[in-house]
Amino acid sequence: MRRNVKSYLIIDGYNIINAWDELKDIAQTSLESAREKLIDIIIEYAEFTGRKAIIVFDAYNVKHSRETVEDRKYITVVYTREHQTADSYIEKFISTLSRYDDIKVATNDYAEQQIILGKGATRISARELKLDLDKAKSNIREKNSSNQKKIQRNWLEERLDKETLSKLENIRRMH
């Protein structure tokens, strides 16, 4: 029996922000800006890798906060409810997934790492996540530069009529 295996990258948002110097610096002036920067980075990564990314920000000390889930392009951003840590949300979420799914959780929290491993997920540190992202970015640049070379040599739009071009554009947008 063939199973439909899904790939997930679940990120403890504040843990990663505090682990990466670039984001930590931004967070000192604006936590919102640091969150958005992390979200942008992960969107690009998820788009390129095809992994479903979930970034969890805890609202543990935020009075009267309710759980909020934002579906964005290629990722889901979760803000936990008051008194709920990102760790507890991640543990609960992992329990809802199939044991056949490929699940990576990015956190530097040692206790969380042990629980993640016990639930069958793979743990990656903030440093490993950064390396994965840098590698993906490098691959994106390579892919884009090779696409640029192709585009410079071969302008399809110069050889097709407007109606065909319009149909191709509509097909491209659907995917």
Side-chain angles (χ1 to χ4, degrees), residues 115-163:
I115 292 165
I116 290 162
L117 294 171
K119 293 192 178 281
T122 306
R123 168 257 2 140
I124 61 172
S125 69
R127 186 180 154 279
E128 291 168 312
L129 178 60
K130 185 82 169 125
L131 291 171
D132 276 0
L133 292 169
D134 290 345
K135 184 178 176 190
K137 232 179 208 165
S138 169
N139 289 341
I140 290 167
R141 272 194 298 273
E142 280 177 31
K143 187 177 177 186
N144 285 343
S145 77
S146 73
N147 285 346
Q148 275 310 111
K149 289 175 189 164
K150 288 177 192 164
I151 290 169
Q152 289 169 354
R153 287 195 311 253
N154 191 5
W155 292 98
L156 182 62
E157 59 198 4
E158 291 175 0
R159 297 188 312 229
L160 294 176
D161 62 280
K162 286 187 191 288
E163 185 181 312

Side-chain angles (χ1 to χ4, degrees), residues 10-122:
I10 305 167
I11 298 158
D12 183 336
Y14 291 129
N15 190 282
I16 299 303
I17 286 173
N18 289 316
W20 290 355
D21 291 338
E22 169 194 5
L23 294 178
K24 197 189 307 183
D25 291 346
I26 295 169
Q28 288 175 350
T29 0
S30 168
L31 193 53
E32 175 68 25
S33 296
R35 280 195 303 257
E36 285 304 316
K37 176 79 173 166
L38 176 62
I39 289 167
D40 289 344
I41 291 167
I42 300 304
I43 286 173
E44 185 178 35
Y45 175 80
E47 179 181 10
F48 183 75
T49 62
R51 237 176 221 286
K52 173 71 177 148
I54 297 107
I55 305 174
V56 182
F57 294 107
D58 59 35
Y60 186 77
N61 291 321
V62 179
K63 294 280 181 224
H64 310 297
S65 68
R66 291 197 175 102
E67 181 178 301
T68 314
V69 177
E70 293 177 11
D71 283 316
R72 297 206 191 177
K73 193 174 185 182
Y74 303 106
I75 72 166
T76 301
V77 181
V78 176
Y79 298 92
T80 67
R81 67 181 187 278
E82 181 182 10
H83 302 303
Q84 183 181 30
T85 63
D87 296 349
S88 66
Y89 181 91
I90 290 168
E91 290 164 30
K92 197 167 109 184
F93 181 74
I94 289 172
S95 299
T96 68
L97 301 176
S98 164
R99 65 187 181 114
Y100 300 103
D101 289 336
D102 175 21
I103 307 163
K104 282 186 178 180
V105 179
T107 182
N108 276 350
D109 182 319
Y110 182 76
E112 179 65 8
Q113 291 171 4
Q114 299 314 303
I115 292 165
I116 290 162
L117 294 171
K119 293 192 178 281
T122 306

